[in-house]
Structure formats: C-alpha cells, structure tokens
Amino acid sequence: MKDLLFTAITTALKSGDAILSVYERDFEVEEKADKSPLTEADKLSHKIITSHLPDYPILSEEGKEIPYEERSGWKRFWLIDPLDGTKEFIKRNGEFTVNIALVESGKPVLGVVYAPVVKTLYFGSKETGAFKVENGDFSFLEEITSPEKFWKEIEKVAVKLPVGKESEEIVVVASRSHRNPETEAFIKKLEEKFGKVKTVSKGSSLKLCLVAEGAADVYPRIAPTMEWDTAAGQAVVEAAGGRVINYETGEPLIYNKRDLLNPYFIVFRKGFVL
C-alpha cells in the first residue's frame, strides 16, 4: 500500500503543478452536458493522472462513460477527480483539489487530496494512517526514485491525523457553493443539542479533510455529489479514525455503483457522536 500511496502522491503533485500553470493565466470555460463547467486544467490534469497511475483500471470524472457492465467486474480500481472544485478554480479562491483514491470491493482504501494553491497535501490508508503536509515544499521529490526514500523524507514534514481542535466549540463544515435549506436545518439541530455551533465554509473535498484532521466535528452533505468527489476524502477520513455514512441508513458509502451519484451523507471526526 505504501508503494501505491507513493505513486498516487507524486502523481497528484504533478497534476497540481499542471493545474497551476493554467490557473495563473487566462483560460476559457466550457460547459459540459450536465451544465457543469470544464476548463483546460480539468483536461490536462486528467491526462497526467491517467498516464501515471499503474496496474488498475481508472474511473475519472472526465472519463465516466465506461459501462457498468464493464466496471462492475473491477475488484480494485483508481477513482479520480482531476480537478475537484472547478467552480472554485474559476473563482480563483484556491479551494480546489486533485483527488486520487484506490477503491477495493466498493470501499476506498487509499486516498490522496492535494490543494495546489496552498501546497497542502492530505493522504492516508488503513495501513499507514492519515497525514497532512501543510505549505509543503515538495522539491525534494525531484531526486527521489523509490518509495522507501520518499517515506523517509515525507515523514519529516507530515503531521499524523487527527490533530484535534483548538477549542471545545462544535464546528460544522459546509459547502461554499452548495448551501441549502436542508443543510441549514441540520445545523439548527446541532445548535439545539450543543448550543453555539461554529460554521466553516470550504470548497471541494477540503471539507472532508477538515474533519479528518479534527479541525471540524461534522460535515453534512445533504446535496448531490458523485463518487469521484468523495472517495479520496473518505479514505483519508477513515484512515484518521473518522466515519463517512449514508444520511438515511447510517451505513458507510459504497463505490462503483451502477448509478455513480452518492446518497446524502454525513462525515464525523474521530470520536464525535451525535
């Protein structure tokens, strides 16, 4: 698993550099069939990731047309979002990520989330635990050719998750672009139970990562998401001891369904119970 994490991390960093090369200049915005935006950065990131990940099939937001009859036979595959938070990318607020997950028998077992503007990297697996590198200088990777050397170096700068919160105040993280009445009602219920609740807004899969690191207690997502939006973040959350559960059933989210739309879900940090 460490070898696969090494590959996923280095691939995400390469993809992030390519995204920034577009982010820092003028770019055009296309509209996909579902009315969501698409940029040159999405396509460039997809190309880089799919050319660097080894061994297993790849399901990507920018290559999602693979028939269920074909992918249903996949026991292990890469599930990626080359640029999660295209709306945030277009707004140039920095809150977008590269998401790479390895899914095994319907469960994300490895996840990498990289936010290139702030050079913050989250990664984890059940085997290794979860980690965060903040404001990372990853130039040392240019001279590293083996996973063994990589882990020796990355462990010098990575912080093991969760790290906990600065206060006892309940913190709920919510989408910056998809707040709705259902989410507001959920937050109100938290206020009724716990008193004052602090709300933090974030874009992309950074919301799951805030819960993984312990900076937030809970993230309710009572709005549509797709499997590639959440798999990498869920892997990091679970590697950090947290939970990502179906809003209706309380069961963990599963992946590679016929319909790639996620159910509504809630993310809890390690040890937090409603």
Side-chain angles (χ1 to χ4, degrees):
M1 194 62 71
K2 278 191 169 184
D3 288 4
L4 292 172
L5 256 179
F6 165 71
T7 301
I9 290 169
T10 53
T11 299
L13 295 173
K14 288 185 180 93
S15 174
D17 287 344
I19 288 171
L20 288 181
S21 72
V22 179
Y23 185 72
E24 292 165 353
R25 58 175 169 79
D26 292 335
F27 54 84
E28 294 183 359
V29 180
E30 303 174 32
E31 188 176 84
K32 294 191 282 190
D34 62 0
K35 305 299 183 183
S36 62
L38 178 70
T39 70
E40 179 186 344
D42 295 84
K43 294 184 280 188
L44 183 58
S45 179
H46 171 82
K47 183 177 179 180
I48 290 172
I49 294 172
T50 54
S51 65
H52 282 81
L53 292 180
D55 301 329
Y56 306 113
I58 297 173
L59 180 60
S60 168
E61 180 179 11
E62 307 311 330
K64 58 193 174 190
E65 297 81 8
I66 299 170
Y68 178 70
E69 289 69 26
E70 177 182 343
R71 57 183 173 80
S72 63
W74 296 351
K75 298 302 181 185
R76 185 182 254 196
F77 69 97
W78 297 104
L79 179 55
I80 67 173
D81 192 340
L83 202 172
D84 181 27
T86 301
K87 290 181 180 178
E88 316 306 331
F89 177 86
I90 293 167
K91 294 175 185 175
R92 285 192 165 92
N93 66 13
E95 293 182 2
F96 56 86
T97 58
V98 177
N99 297 347
I100 300 177
L102 185 67
V103 176
E104 189 174 87
S105 301
K107 299 178 181 179
V109 296
L110 172 160
V112 176
V113 177
Y114 179 50
V117 169
V118 292
K119 297 190 182 304
T120 297
L121 173 72
Y122 297 88
F123 61 94
S125 70
K126 287 290 187 181
E127 178 183 310
T128 63
F131 297 86
K132 176 185 180 182
V133 180
E134 192 169 10
N135 301 318
D137 177 6
F138 301 103
S139 58
F140 68 88
L141 289 175
E142 296 173 4
E143 300 178 2
I144 290 180
T145 57
S146 72
E148 292 78 14
K149 290 182 180 179
F150 168 81
W151 282 98
K152 285 182 180 178
E153 293 299 320
I154 202 71
E155 287 173 355
K156 296 176 183 177
V157 295
V159 175
K160 192 165 177 45
L161 304 181
V163 295
K165 296 188 304 178
E166 295 181 356
S167 72
E168 295 299 316
E169 187 177 29
I170 299 300
V171 178
V172 56
V173 62
S175 172
R176 187 175 297 283
S177 300
H178 298 92
R179 291 285 286 271
N180 57 24
E182 292 81 4
T183 303
E184 297 299 338
F186 181 89
I187 294 172
K188 186 174 181 180
K189 288 182 179 179
L190 288 176
E191 291 173 337
E192 291 171 354
K193 181 171 183 177
F194 296 104
K196 186 178 180 182
V197 172
K198 180 180 178 181
T199 302
V200 177
S201 294
K202 283 287 182 182
S204 70
S205 56
L206 290 171
K207 295 181 289 296
L208 286 102
C209 293
L210 282 182
V211 178
E213 68 178 275
D217 296 285
V218 58
Y219 162 38
R221 181 63 184 214
I222 314 172
T225 57
M226 303 300 291
E227 290 189 7
W228 46 78
D229 294 320
T230 57
Q234 178 171 341
V236 175
V237 168
E238 292 179 347
R243 295 176 294 140
V244 182
I245 62 172
N246 185 306
Y247 182 76
E248 297 291 339
T249 68
E251 296 296 319
L253 296 195
I254 58 173
Y255 291 81
N256 203 22
K257 306 183 301 298
R258 179 179 292 275
D259 183 354
L260 295 168
L261 182 71
N262 283 325
Y264 297 163
F265 61 87
I266 308 176
V267 185
F268 297 105
R269 69 165 170 81
K270 182 179 180 179
F272 183 76
V273 180
L274 281 180

